[in-house]
Amino acid sequence: MKKISFIFILLLFTLTGCQSATTEGAFFHDYLVNPFSFLIHEIGTLLGGNFGVAIIVITLLIRLVLLPFMLKTYKNQQDMKGKMALIKPEMSAIQKKIKETKDKEEQKKLQQELMMLYQKNGVNPLNMGCLPLLIQTPILIGLYYAIRSSSEIASHSFLWFNLGQPDHIMAIIAGVVYLAQSRVSLMNIPAEQQAQMKIMGLLSPVMIFIFSLNAPAALPLYWTVGGAFLILQTLIGKTLYHQQPALEKQETQ
């Protein structure tokens, strides 16, 4: 639920706008939006005025820089899931007792017992790797506003569409790519957890599709490239850090 709230707030902040991102002299505008605007101009000019390719290049460069952090986060999450799976029977039993008892002292004692169980097995439910998300958020939002405010992008075409005008086909592609990304992220996750994560998985593609319908086509292009890279990143992470089921681990010990 906390992750759902985080993503919702992030998308809402990105899509509705931020005054500091569009105001000259503001820190966010001067140190994040302006550098990306400069890169878009320079790379696009270097490529003969092809600002669509410039967006793709910059998006991929950012994702490649963030890739090691994201893979490390994925590894930590898989390790934590494995530990949580191993202690699940004991953990569930204690949690059930906490819910059933009405005695405050008994609840406190059981909560301490649960914390001891976590500590004994090296489990920290709160340490699921949010730092890379916090690092990439201002970077990606800075790129978002640089694309939205670029005069070069507003007057150039790429493939079949004008970068500065809405394009329904690109809106559909961006929504489908992020829908596919949400499905890929559910691979190898237990069915009961998938049911809880499906709502979160639908939130991002639906919001991106709706916003892209009236946004300059450069933005769904940026989301499409970023979403496609996330699919590849997720597949790499799942291949490198595939987590064996807890029962398999117990049998091999």
Side-chain angles (χ1 to χ4, degrees):
M1 184 60 68
K2 290 181 178 179
K3 191 173 182 181
I4 295 175
S5 300
F6 176 81
I7 292 177
F8 178 77
I9 292 171
L10 172 59
L11 284 171
L12 186 63
F13 174 70
T14 304
L15 300 181
T16 56
C18 171
Q19 185 177 359
S20 64
T22 57
T23 304
E24 291 286 349
F27 177 87
F28 193 90
H29 181 275
D30 290 352
Y31 292 96
L32 277 174
V33 178
N34 274 350
F36 282 124
S37 297
F38 175 79
L39 283 176
I40 290 172
H41 173 78
E42 292 300 315
I43 294 177
T45 302
L46 184 65
L47 295 172
N50 197 328
F51 292 96
V53 176
I55 293 172
I56 294 174
V57 169
I58 294 171
T59 304
L60 291 177
L61 285 175
I62 292 173
R63 290 295 180 180
L64 285 171
V65 170
L66 293 172
L67 181 60
F69 299 98
M70 301 306 293
L71 289 179
K72 187 176 187 301
T73 297
Y74 188 82
K75 181 179 183 299
N76 292 339
Q77 290 174 341
Q78 292 300 97
D79 290 343
M80 195 63 63
K81 287 177 183 177
K83 293 178 181 180
M84 292 285 284
L86 290 172
I87 67 171
K88 185 176 180 180
E90 295 177 75
M91 181 178 67
S92 298
I94 297 174
Q95 289 174 336
K96 183 179 179 182
K97 291 179 182 178
I98 293 175
K99 291 180 180 180
E100 291 176 348
T101 184
K102 302 298 182 182
D103 185 270
K104 297 295 183 181
E105 289 298 322
E106 182 65 16
Q107 285 182 350
K108 185 177 179 180
K109 180 180 177 182
L110 290 168
Q111 287 170 349
Q112 291 176 345
E113 185 179 340
L114 184 62
M115 294 304 297
M116 290 295 293
L117 177 65
Y118 289 156
Q119 186 176 3
K120 178 182 176 182
N121 291 275
V123 172
N124 183 357
L126 300 179
N127 184 22
M128 293 299 284
C130 290
L131 182 59
L133 287 176
L134 297 177
I135 293 174
Q136 71 173 316
T137 297
I139 295 174
L140 296 178
I141 292 177
L143 177 57
Y144 164 86
Y145 280 106
I147 290 172
R148 197 180 75 166
S149 61
S150 171
S151 58
E152 288 91 352
I153 287 175
S155 58
H156 283 77
S157 297
F158 178 66
L159 298 178
W160 69 88
F161 55 89
N162 187 313
L163 291 168
Q165 299 296 323
D167 185 86
H168 290 177
I169 295 177
M170 276 308 303
I172 293 171
I173 292 174
V176 169
V177 167
Y178 265 85
L179 181 61
Q181 189 275 327
S182 70
R183 294 293 184 239
V184 169
S185 67
L186 294 177
M187 291 168 54
N188 301 328
I189 293 179
E192 63 273 13
Q193 294 183 23
Q194 287 190 22
Q196 298 174 358
M197 296 176 66
K198 280 183 179 178
I199 296 177
M200 179 184 67
L202 289 173
L203 177 64
S204 177
V206 168
M207 291 187 70
I208 284 175
F209 169 70
I210 292 174
F211 186 79
S212 295
L213 288 174
N214 296 308
L219 294 176
L221 173 64
Y222 150 64
W223 281 319
T224 297
V225 176
F229 190 94
L230 285 176
I231 292 174
L232 178 62
Q233 174 182 285
T234 302
L235 292 174
I236 292 173
K238 289 182 182 295
T239 300
L240 292 177
Y241 309 116
H242 176 66
Q243 185 69 55
Q244 284 185 315
L247 290 178
E248 289 184 15
K249 286 188 174 183
Q250 289 178 328
E251 288 175 359
T252 57
Q253 291 178 350

